[in-house]
Amino acid sequence: MHLPSKYVSRTIALLTVGAALVACGGAPAPAPATAAEGDGVLTIYSGRNEELVGPLIAQLEAAVGTPVEVRYGSTGEMAAQLLEEGADSPADLFFAQDAGALGAVAGAGLLAPLPADVLEPALERYRATDSTWVATSARARVVAYNTALVPEADLPTSLDALLDPRWAGQIGIAPSNASWLSFVTGLRLIRGEDGARQWLTAFAAQNPQRFDGNGAVVDAVAAGTVAAGLVNHYYLFEKIAELDPATYPVRNHYVANDPLGLVNVAGVGVTAAADDQGPALEAVRYLLSAEGQQYLVDRTAEYPVIDGVTPARADVDLVALESLSAPDVDLADLSSLAETETLLQEVGLL
């Protein structure tokens, strides 16, 4: 989920190029996986990094009982690879960190509908409307703020509150990070192109401070370089896992009923190219099992997508998503990242 900023422009380009190749019938890239079709190997294209999900994949392999081969890359790179390979892909499963990428691959007809009994453990709001993918974890956008610099009474209550002069030069963003791009894409879906452009133009005039990644934004908030930053909720929990939470001067502020409270997901889909979908479907079942969900919640501090799973870490205090009244956005529509990049360039924020 923590996509290095250096990959983002390349990610967008790959998605765009991948789609163009498919549209034009361009030659597929060299096959990246070593597994041959029908050889009893479950081949996973993972946009989640190996350090994060490697142990989970090992657990999955044992639970499914089928040898697993994994190709790791950014979610955009894996999506582009699937778009290029099309029906000839050796991948059985696409494990993505972003709903937009899943939507792009599903929109190209490359993901097979998941059976109802496989989807059933996931809460309904975390299932694709056409059943082609399902979320495996969720993350919320927050305003991370410095408790010494921002009294609770002054915390923004909406996206538009960030345009108040008091925030000029005091907001940190990671403009090329995937989570920021998804947030802006959500803003376009909620307010339309003109509405999004109007807000972004006004926000750019506030002179937000730019950082290379969300972790750097939170570090700047903690140091008082900026008073607040726009990030995903789990970055705070990453920091306090290594530091004393009681003395760390950053907290998350959740904004309900507003684009600032967008909830995005990581998720998984079974490819239509899979010769034998059985092992891939069993893998989805495992990722939605209590054991698989517990791993994700404890390792990443993301939200579970099934009932009955809570963080084992005492320092991870997840605000109930139901209380956030997140914007009603079809997450698959977050796939229009190229249009978002163009808009951000127009307003001078990328």
Side-chain angles (χ1 to χ4, degrees):
M1 93 194 58
H2 316 295
L3 187 64
S5 58
K6 66 182 180 181
Y7 286 142
V8 174
S9 293
R10 186 183 177 199
T11 292
I12 295 169
L14 282 168
L15 279 169
T16 304
V17 169
L21 280 173
V22 170
C24 298
T34 58
E37 290 183 352
D39 65 355
V41 174
L42 173 62
T43 301
I44 300 174
Y45 281 12
S46 177
R48 312 215 68 178
N49 72 59
E50 186 172 8
E51 180 181 0
L52 184 71
V53 302
L56 177 65
I57 296 296
Q59 294 175 198
L60 178 154
E61 183 174 29
V64 173
T66 298
V68 172
E69 291 187 355
V70 187
R71 176 178 172 80
Y72 291 100
S74 75
T75 288
E77 289 171 330
M78 294 296 95
Q81 189 73 51
L82 285 163
L83 290 168
E84 291 171 5
E85 294 170 346
D88 295 324
S89 176
D92 301 300
L93 198 70
F94 179 33
F95 192 12
Q97 71 166 12
D98 179 80
L102 287 160
V105 175
L110 299 177
L111 296 181
L114 297 168
D117 65 304
V118 173
L119 291 168
E120 193 275 334
L123 299 172
E124 188 168 354
R125 63 179 177 274
Y126 295 128
R127 308 172 193 171
T129 54
D130 60 0
S131 302
T132 51
W133 57 268
V134 63
T136 52
S137 58
R139 78 287 299 262
R141 292 294 288 179
V142 298
V143 179
Y145 68 100
N146 186 305
T147 55
L149 300 177
V150 185
E152 288 191 15
D154 290 345
L155 288 169
T157 56
S158 71
L159 188 71
D160 296 320
L162 295 178
L163 304 181
D164 188 286
R166 80 177 65 176
W167 295 109
Q170 290 300 311
I171 301 292
I173 61 172
S176 59
N177 187 273
S179 64
W180 165 258
L181 295 173
S182 291
F183 159 69
V184 175
T185 304
L187 177 62
R188 289 177 42 237
L189 296 173
I190 295 165
R191 293 195 172 181
E193 299 297 332
D194 290 342
R197 181 179 291 103
Q198 182 178 15
W199 185 85
L200 289 166
T201 299
F203 184 65
Q206 288 283 69
N207 190 30
Q209 303 302 301
R210 307 177 189 206
F211 296 91
D212 185 18
N214 288 317
V217 171
V218 176
D219 287 342
V221 174
T225 306
V226 291
L230 305 184
V231 296
N232 285 344
H233 77 277
Y234 45 75
Y235 289 95
L236 171 62
F237 300 119
E238 283 186 359
K239 299 297 180 184
I240 62 176
E242 302 169 354
L243 303 168
D244 180 3
T247 60
Y248 193 64
V250 181
R251 295 292 183 272
N252 282 340
H253 173 54
Y254 297 82
V255 183
N257 299 304
D258 190 84
L260 276 178
L262 179 71
V263 174
N264 200 349
V265 300
V268 67
V270 174
T271 69
D275 274 356
D276 179 7
Q277 294 182 351
L281 292 174
E282 289 305 308
V284 178
R285 291 183 200 277
Y286 180 77
L287 292 171
L288 296 178
S289 70
E291 184 176 272
Q293 289 287 290
Q294 193 68 56
Y295 174 94
L296 288 167
V297 170
D298 291 339
R299 178 66 179 82
T300 70
E302 292 178 284
Y303 285 89
V305 297
I306 68 172
D307 282 328
V309 175
T310 56
R313 284 172 52 187
D315 60 333
V316 175
D317 181 20
L318 297 179
V319 172
L321 281 180
E322 293 76 10
S323 69
L324 301 182
S325 299
D328 185 16
V329 172
D330 185 342
L331 296 176
D333 291 338
L334 296 178
S335 59
S336 57
L337 294 177
E339 291 87 343
T340 293
E341 183 184 48
T342 298
L343 176 57
L344 287 169
Q345 289 171 339
E346 286 178 7
V347 302
L349 283 175
L350 189 64

